[in-house]
Amino acid sequence: MTTNPYFDHYEQAWIDHQTDYGQHPDPCIGLPLDQIQDRVSSWLSEFNPLISPEPQATESIRVGIVQRFYGW
């Protein structure tokens, strides 16, 4: 799998979205893995509609976000 230079951008955009730029706690903390993955996938499709729902790049971004912020 190749490394996408924009992964950090997506991860930062995710956490900014979730916490309203640090103003609120992350509402995904404590949720089951499947709910977190659904929320990340939904957000990715809204954030960048040019990425098709489950290509390798989108899956890599989703997995990276879930691992970085939720330890799954």
Side-chain angles (χ1 to χ4, degrees):
M1 185 181 315
T2 60
T3 301
N4 185 323
Y6 298 105
F7 281 177
D8 288 340
H9 171 74
Y10 286 111
E11 290 175 353
Q12 187 60 50
W14 164 256
I15 203 63
D16 288 345
H17 165 78
Q18 284 298 100
T19 65
D20 194 20
Y21 296 90
Q23 300 301 309
H24 306 285
D26 185 346
C28 283
I29 292 178
L31 291 178
L33 176 61
D34 60 335
Q35 288 182 13
I36 293 171
Q37 289 177 334
D38 288 346
R39 287 182 182 207
V40 173
S41 293
S42 175
W43 172 80
L44 273 173
S45 67
E46 292 176 22
F47 181 75
N48 191 349
L50 300 177
I51 298 176
S52 53
E54 283 300 325
Q56 185 177 358
T58 300
E59 183 178 350
S60 296
I61 294 167
R62 180 176 49 83
V63 168
I65 288 171
V66 171
Q67 287 178 344
R68 178 175 175 190
F69 296 109
Y70 308 106
W72 290 97

